[in-house]
Amino acid sequence: KIVPSQETHGCNGSLPSGERGRRKSRFALCRRNKANGVKPSTVHTSCTPQAAKAISNKEQHSISYTLSRAHTVVVEYTHDSNTDMFQIGRSTENPIDFVVTDTVPGGQSLTDAQTIQSTISRFACRIICQRNPPYSARIYAAGFDSSKNIFLGEKAAKWRMHDGHMDGLTTNGVLVMHPWQGFAQDSRPGVWREISVCGNVFTLRETRSAQQRGKMVDSECNQLVDGSLIDLCGATLLWRTAEGLARTPTVKHLEALRQEFNAGRPQCPVGFNTLAFPSMRRKDVLDEKQPWAYLRCGHVHGYHCWGGRRAPEVEAECQDRECPMCRAQGPYVPLWLGCEPAFYVDAEGPTHAFVPCGHVCSEKTAAYWSQISLPHGTHAFHAACPFCIHPLRGDTGFVRLIFQSPLD
């Protein structure tokens, strides 16, 4: 049984460099043939031989909390036959199940040279899933490395809890946002929280890497729900459950909506030529029938040179133009269908476009994502198109599209 699925923001259905190995735009978590989950067991509060053995033993999972040069607390983790563990991070080492790279506006990924500057941790987080119903999944900051260790250095935020156990935060943190009322037409964004190494929930730090942790939120837990967002400081993941995906439109449904739109033969009100969305396979290639829109007013045209004689490639960079229908001035861009079904909160037709990128989806999907402030960099938040991560502009961040039907 597939338990949950996750999708990286900004990919619009696939990575620019292609899907390969553990580097994908989406990843399904399935029940493993053999359980590999772990749970905390013995705590060593001083540098004993047993603590040193736990760290050096590559068959023993452990977390080390360095309090000072002379004092390290080591927590041993033991096998848990009831859970499966999945790890996410920038590292390509074997313990990482899902390799993520920084997402930049436009859906592109950083090059290998730029990846050196990445703010995503090599072993960013781990997700522990129950092997039996209800298959609940919980997220924890930090992942175990190739030696099955997690090290929280002297400068990392860490503390001793009331029960005597240790806990801590990673450098840039793992943030989670759970939507209100699930992931559906009536969903509303929740509040961003930070998840600790032990899975406790905290309010956000003043800055992403501040030494002082936020306040613990006892009323909330680290269990992921349908539509939860996981931010790793450089990439944001959308968590979908199997039940949630069963209610989500499929790629076939989006293709049917595309064909239904094209069958209506919308026309350009200037050139009177028929417009059509290109196929999903050619989602990033400008087509001669490509719909273009003035995003200030929403009027849809074919490409034309009204109000300026610039090449289509230049127009795609969102240069402001005057709409010949209503004289409103704003970005004039090609329209692209949002191809990733997991981002849709309903199964309605493509009627609205995000501003200024021009990705098209249903009204309620556009309204939902425009309300979400996604973490940006190490201290900022802004609303962005889920299909390409471009920051949204305007009063609402999206516009209703106005199509002209054929005159015949």
Side-chain angles (χ1 to χ4, degrees), residues 19-150:
E19 310 281 303
R20 60 183 188 274
R22 292 171 292 152
R23 198 187 299 269
K24 303 176 182 178
S25 67
R26 66 182 67 80
F27 191 72
L29 276 63
C30 306
R31 192 175 190 267
R32 295 186 185 275
N33 293 331
K34 183 179 179 181
N36 74 330
V38 294
K39 55 186 177 182
S41 58
T42 308
V43 179
H44 303 280
T45 57
S46 59
C47 297
T48 61
Q50 291 84 359
K53 182 179 179 181
I55 296 174
S56 61
N57 184 358
K58 293 188 177 182
E59 299 303 315
Q60 173 73 62
H61 287 85
S62 68
I63 300 181
S64 301
Y65 301 86
T66 303
L67 304 180
S68 67
R69 291 185 178 181
H71 190 192
T72 298
V73 175
V74 178
V75 180
E76 288 187 36
Y77 276 65
T78 187
H79 176 69
D80 184 357
S81 60
N82 296 315
T83 63
D84 287 332
M85 179 170 67
F86 302 88
Q87 300 205 141
I88 303 170
R90 179 169 48 87
S91 172
T92 56
E93 294 182 27
N94 287 335
I96 295 299
D97 298 286
F98 185 25
V99 179
V100 293
T101 54
D102 295 68
T103 305
V104 294
Q108 303 300 307
S109 297
L110 292 180
T111 64
D112 291 339
Q114 292 172 307
T115 303
I116 300 173
Q117 312 293 327
S118 177
T119 49
I120 300 174
S121 172
R122 294 175 65 245
F123 301 92
C125 68
R126 61 197 192 278
I127 295 174
I128 305 292
C129 301
Q130 288 183 341
R131 289 173 59 82
N132 300 305
Y135 304 109
S136 64
R138 295 180 180 272
I139 186 168
Y140 302 80
F144 294 99
D145 62 20
S146 296
S147 299
K148 298 187 177 179
N149 294 319
I150 293 174

Side-chain angles (χ1 to χ4, degrees), residues 90 114 121 126 174 188 190 246 255 272 290 317 339 349 353 355 369:
R90 179 169 48 87
Q114 292 172 307
S121 172
R126 61 197 192 278
V174 173
R188 291 182 294 115
E255 173 62 16
F272 300 110
Q290 187 94 22
E317 296 180 2
C339 297
V355 180
W369 288 107

Side-chain angles (χ1 to χ4, degrees), residues 291-318:
W292 286 63
Y294 290 88
L295 296 184
R296 182 74 180 274
C297 56
H299 283 112
V300 179
H301 296 68
Y303 174 73
H304 58 79
C305 295
W306 170 273
R309 296 184 178 275
R310 291 187 285 265
E313 293 78 13
V314 178
E315 300 294 356
E317 296 180 2
C318 299

